[in-house]
Amino acid sequence: MASTVRVQAPIGQRALFITTLAVPLTGWTVHAVSLHRKLSAARRDPLTGLLGRDGFTAKARQITDRYGDHALVGMVDLDHFKQINDGPGGHAAGDRVLAATATRLTAWAGSRGAVGRLGGDEFAFAVRIGPARRELRLAQLTQLLAQPVQVDDGVLVDVAASVGAACPGVLGTTDLSLLQRAADAAMYAGKHTGRAVLAGPQHAVPSINGRRAGRPGTHTLGRAA
């Protein structure tokens, strides 16, 4: 009887010891999973579900590094967006337009592309498109973004967007910051024309934080950086 007790006691102690270790390990695992989910959510824009600036930058760099001359980086600004926000539908209508723009950009870019909302009505994309199809695909994008958006009570709101794009093959670099600068400058060169502009060497202008100098917020961001 005594021998039985001596055998079982160490087993019980080991089980207790393992259980004691397992409890904090399980707690840390749950905490790690929760933290990962929060970080993933933080990389997404809450209104549109698109990647935020950091998340977009990371994925876009993967695309430019992997596809080189077949990569295309673009910037998108909604035209007259303030008028939509200040109109009868107010900010609710503006939010609908932003969400619709995000959906259209995502559908156009496909599952392997990267689409982000950089702030306000400013969007960015990075996709793989060969030289022979760039102009056609960009024209399709501008047409898609120009479709009216239905807001509350079935009211249709006219929208339009300015699009600028840049590719490594033309600019001679896969540096995402440089490509975004040129795409931003090209977008403003074609502002309100209803057509996308593909950046050339003339659009490689000085900028701050990957954005064309003079863009809203660049001075503050640059000073903080």
Side-chain angles (χ1 to χ4, degrees):
M1 182 67 178
S3 62
T4 302
V5 173
R6 283 195 298 270
V7 171
Q8 290 181 343
I11 294 175
Q13 292 173 359
R14 286 198 301 271
L16 179 61
F17 179 70
I18 293 172
T19 302
T20 303
L21 287 176
V23 170
L25 287 174
T26 301
W28 276 110
T29 300
V30 172
H31 174 71
V33 171
S34 176
L35 181 60
H36 175 73
R37 288 175 178 172
K38 289 180 180 179
L39 289 173
S40 297
R43 294 163 66 89
R44 294 277 174 180
D45 173 58
L47 174 63
T48 63
L50 295 180
L51 292 168
R53 185 180 295 274
D54 291 343
F56 170 78
T57 298
K59 189 170 182 180
R61 280 178 176 157
Q62 293 176 357
I63 292 174
T64 55
D65 290 344
R66 181 174 183 180
Y67 297 117
D69 291 351
H70 285 262
L72 187 68
V73 174
M75 303 289 285
V76 176
D77 251 5
L78 295 179
D79 297 340
H80 310 298
F81 182 70
K82 187 177 184 302
Q83 295 180 10
I84 297 175
N85 264 340
D86 294 342
H91 288 280
D95 288 349
R96 287 287 186 92
V97 170
L98 291 173
T101 300
T103 299
R104 293 167 178 179
L105 276 169
T106 301
W108 177 84
S111 59
R112 296 185 179 182
V115 180
R117 182 186 178 200
L118 304 186
D121 61 325
E122 181 184 17
F123 300 84
F125 62 81
V127 292
R128 180 189 180 185
I129 299 177
R133 302 182 63 236
R134 284 180 193 138
E135 291 188 7
L136 174 61
R137 294 283 282 124
L138 287 172
Q140 292 173 341
L141 176 60
T142 54
Q143 292 175 5
L144 181 64
L145 295 177
Q147 298 299 314
V149 174
Q150 183 173 313
V151 296
D152 292 338
D153 300 325
V155 175
L156 291 177
V157 174
D158 290 329
V159 295
S162 296
V163 180
C167 56
V170 174
L171 297 181
T173 180
T174 58
D175 184 285
L176 179 64
S177 180
L178 296 176
L179 292 170
Q180 283 187 278
R181 297 177 190 181
D184 193 58
M187 178 187 71
Y188 268 81
K191 195 72 174 169
H192 306 306
T193 64
R195 62 182 182 86
V197 178
L198 186 63
Q202 72 275 21
H203 296 112
V205 297
S207 69
I208 301 172
N209 297 327
R211 307 176 75 194
R212 181 176 59 81
R215 292 280 277 152
T218 51
H219 177 69
T220 303
L221 291 172
R223 183 173 56 198

